Amino acid sequence: MAEGRTTILLVEDNPDDALLIREMLADADGGSFEWIHAERLSEGLEELSVGSADVVLLDLSLPDSHGLDTFATAHSHAPETPIILLTGLDDEELAVQAVQLGAQDYLSKSRMEGQLLVRSLRYAIERQNLLAEMVRQSDELARVNEDLRRSNAELEQFAYVASHDLQEPLRMVSSYVEILAEDYSGRLDVDADRFIGYVLDGATRMKGLINDLLTYSRVGTQGKPFGPADCNFIVERVLMDQARALDECGGRVTYSELPILTGDDTQLTQLLQNLLSNSLKYRRDVAPRVHVCAERRRDAWAFSVRDNGIGIEPRHSERIFQMFQRLHHRSEYPGSGIGLAVCQKIVERHGGRIWVESEPGKGSTFHFTISTSLEEEADHGS
Ligand code: ADP
């Protein structure tokens, strides 16, 4: 493309029409365009192949090509160069079809006028530039997404390897401190006994943290392929596991008909297990009442788990999904703050999101979605 000047390739076999168009444009624009003139499609294609034109004015009826073929051939030679069709009285219909196939515009030779031509040319070039920019940006976005996916996977792998490899030295520290505690208790001084107690406590906590990290990183690295998962069955199974806790607090969990969806049923069990056990754990002084339900949205199942517990201040409603973030001390409510982070990761692996709505002192509702487009993917065997 010549700097600042726009080059028009005019493919028109009728010399009178060609002259008329050039004069019209010179009048309207004062000559800011460069011209290349071709009388046959084959000559036009040569120019297109070397990329000399910014925009093409193309007559559909040429000595060596007629009708839609003319456009299709020119377009396939230079898909990025905008083409404006010049139509006679009898080929307007065709031009409309060509626009549907990617032509920028068409102008009727009998009704052509200078300003209109200039506008059409400028608009065609602008539109093409915009399109090229959009393609460039979406390529860029795809690249950034891919980088992000890769670095997430690497991070996950790192967390997995690190936590896995930390287990061994930690086991050694724990076992020797346990021996110290058992065999040397009372034989050293009081301070030493106390310090050994701290080390034991620290090692136990560290073991818990490493296990949590492993659980968290396994969501991404060791998930099962998706298959059918009956959520009624899953809730029943979780309730069986929670039977004792329910008994102890006099809690009751109800659910309305839940879907059979496509996902990783082990992870979905873990998800509901975490949410339901939190609903019982973070209870007030009344017996816990929890209800689970789901409704079908356009491209997802939307679940909710509603409780009548202590609730969560709205300002904490995002923080609680982060790893190791808790709102209470271990002495108040046991836990490590990994449960909801794991829930979030499971939900994201299922193409959904998770959030909470709550009225402090009255209860919380945890919402999450599970994408239904995964069903088609699973049907296609991925
Ligand atoms: P943990 O229960 O081990 O602390 P979670 O990640 O499951 O870890 O929860 C993070 C925090 O979110 C909890 O410490 C608690 O403060 C709050 N929370 C979670 N579920 C509920 C609930 N159902 N009601 C009130 N607070 C909750």
Side-chain angles (χ1 to χ4, degrees):
M1 192 190 293
E3 215 26 61
R5 301 262 286 183
T6 302
T7 304
I8 303 172
L9 170 62
L10 173 64
V11 191
E12 168 64 74
D13 61 324
N14 182 326
D16 294 339
D17 284 352
L19 192 64
L20 186 75
I21 290 168
R22 293 180 63 152
E23 280 180 352
M24 203 184 275
L25 201 61
D27 274 354
D29 175 72
S32 71
F33 292 102
E34 299 268 358
W35 288 95
I36 302 170
H37 185 194
E39 293 186 352
R40 307 169 73 87
L41 182 62
S42 55
E43 294 164 32
L45 295 181
E46 274 173 34
E47 296 294 342
L48 280 177
S49 315
V50 294
S52 40
D54 298 314
V55 56
V56 186
L57 284 173
L58 179 69
D59 184 11
L60 285 180
S61 307
L62 295 166
D64 55 345
S65 177
H66 289 279
L68 268 188
D69 274 353
T70 313
F71 167 72
T73 314
H75 187 48
S76 67
H77 262 69
E80 316 244 295
T81 311
I83 299 178
I84 298 171
L85 305 171
L86 301 170
T87 60
L89 285 176
D90 50 354
D91 51 9
E92 212 153 292
E93 228 5 57
L94 276 186
V96 175
Q97 290 178 34
V99 167
Q100 284 163 358
L101 295 176
Q104 287 280 342
D105 199 359
Y106 66 91
L107 296 168
S108 156
K109 282 195 253 184
S110 58
R111 291 195 294 271
M112 203 184 295
E113 180 269 312
Q115 288 302 336
L116 193 69
L117 184 57
V118 172
R119 211 176 62 197
S120 180
L121 286 166
R122 298 231 180 275
Y123 176 71
I125 293 167
E126 277 310 308
R127 213 177 103 162
Q128 196 66 24
N129 287 345
L130 209 66
L131 213 67
E133 177 63 10
M134 272 163 65
V135 169
R136 202 190 55 71
Q137 282 185 6
S138 73
D139 285 355
E140 175 79 354
L141 201 67
R143 199 184 54 72
V144 170
N145 267 340
E146 175 53 25
D147 284 355
L148 206 63
R149 198 197 56 73
R150 198 173 318 121
S151 81
N152 269 341
E154 278 166 10
L155 208 63
E156 230 157 51
Q157 193 60 29
F158 169 76
Y160 180 71
V161 170
S163 40
H164 186 263
D165 290 1
L166 279 174
Q167 279 181 323
E168 185 46 40
L170 181 63
R171 247 195 300 273
M172 199 160 102
V173 172
S174 306
S175 1
Y176 281 100
V177 180
E178 272 165 28
I179 293 175
L180 268 183
E182 278 172 25
D183 295 359
Y184 288 83
S185 167
R187 289 168 58 189
L188 304 165
D189 64 16
V190 186
D191 276 350
D193 282 350
R194 196 155 44 93
F195 296 157
I196 290 173
Y198 292 156
V199 177
L200 263 181
D201 184 46
T204 311
R205 287 215 327 260
M206 196 156 170
K207 196 165 137 200
L209 287 175
I210 287 177
N211 278 339
D212 285 346
L213 257 183
L214 270 175
T215 311
Y216 181 78
S217 63
R218 274 185 183 133
V219 177
T221 53
Q222 314 208 334
K224 285 194 307 185
F226 289 176
D230 184 339
C231 295
N232 303 286
F233 184 69
I234 290 176
V235 170
E236 278 301 328
R237 198 162 47 196
V238 172
L239 291 183
M240 249 153 41
D241 287 345
Q242 298 279 322
R244 231 180 94 194
L246 276 167
D247 238 20
E248 276 169 14
C249 63
R252 191 150 59 92
V253 178
T254 52
Y255 60 95
S256 38
E257 177 74 18
L258 298 174
I260 298 174
L261 43 74
T262 303
D264 178 335
D265 66 343
T266 309
Q267 290 189 345
L268 293 171
T269 305
Q270 197 176 6
L271 168 67
L272 281 158
Q273 163 93 38
N274 290 359
L275 293 178
L276 287 174
S277 64
N278 276 352
S279 293
L280 302 180
K281 177 161 67 167
Y282 297 102
R283 60 177 181 266
R284 284 182 290 139
D285 44 10
V286 295
R289 292 280 172 271
V290 186
H291 185 70
V292 185
C293 59
E295 65 176 42
R296 177 72 202 234
R297 300 267 164 84
R298 199 163 53 89
D299 48 11
W301 279 102
F303 284 77
S304 61
V305 178
R306 189 182 68 230
D307 67 41
N308 61 343
I310 58 172
I312 297 160
E313 296 276 353
R315 66 196 161 96
H316 297 309
S317 55
E318 291 189 3
R319 186 160 81 87
I320 54 171
F321 294 99
Q322 289 169 16
M323 242 200 283
F324 302 131
Q325 288 290 335
R326 334 193 45 223
L327 306 179
H328 307 275
H329 192 264
R330 265 176 298 135
S331 56
E332 267 183 292
Y333 295 95
S336 65
I338 198 77
L340 289 178
V342 167
C343 289
Q344 181 167 49
K345 206 142 186 249
I346 292 175
V347 167
E348 282 170 1
R349 182 168 176 241
H350 287 77
R353 55 186 207 96
I354 184 167
W355 68 101
V356 67
E357 282 171 351
S358 173
E359 230 183 298
K362 295 214 164 137
S364 316
T365 306
F366 281 84
H367 299 272
F368 66 88
T369 57
I370 300 288
S371 166
T372 48
S373 52
L374 306 166
E375 287 166 20
E376 288 127 43
E377 277 173 36
D379 287 347
H380 290 102
S382 59

